[in-house]
Amino acid sequence: MTVVDEALGEPTEDLNEPADARGRAAELREIRASALAGPSEKATAAQHAKGKLTARERIELLLDAGSFREVE
């Protein structure tokens, strides 16, 4: 992402974003892996301690196996 430096009126690079497409693709792979991994063991244990199931556990109970595809 390019940010315009208001003092100079010139574009500057945003330091929080990867400089190239490969870096962005690697970042997206990390995000996807994190999402697929689901909540941490600590978060899951906290839900179970409250007598609740996680969202994914509730979905598994409601739907046939393999019929749900998480997209975001």
Side-chain angles (χ1 to χ4, degrees):
M1 174 179 194
T2 302
V3 177
V4 175
D5 185 333
E6 292 186 23
L8 301 174
E10 297 178 10
T12 59
E13 282 190 41
D14 185 352
L15 299 178
N16 294 327
E17 289 196 21
D20 61 0
R22 287 188 187 125
R24 181 68 176 145
E27 181 183 350
L28 292 172
R29 279 191 294 276
E30 289 176 23
I31 292 169
R32 181 178 291 140
S34 175
L36 290 174
S40 67
E41 290 297 320
K42 184 177 178 181
T44 301
Q47 276 293 93
H48 292 164
K50 295 176 191 175
K52 298 180 178 181
L53 298 174
T54 65
R56 288 182 178 166
E57 290 169 337
R58 292 189 305 267
I59 290 169
E60 287 176 10
L61 291 173
L62 290 171
L63 303 174
D64 294 333
S67 66
F68 178 75
R69 182 177 172 109
E70 189 171 343
V71 293
E72 288 190 30

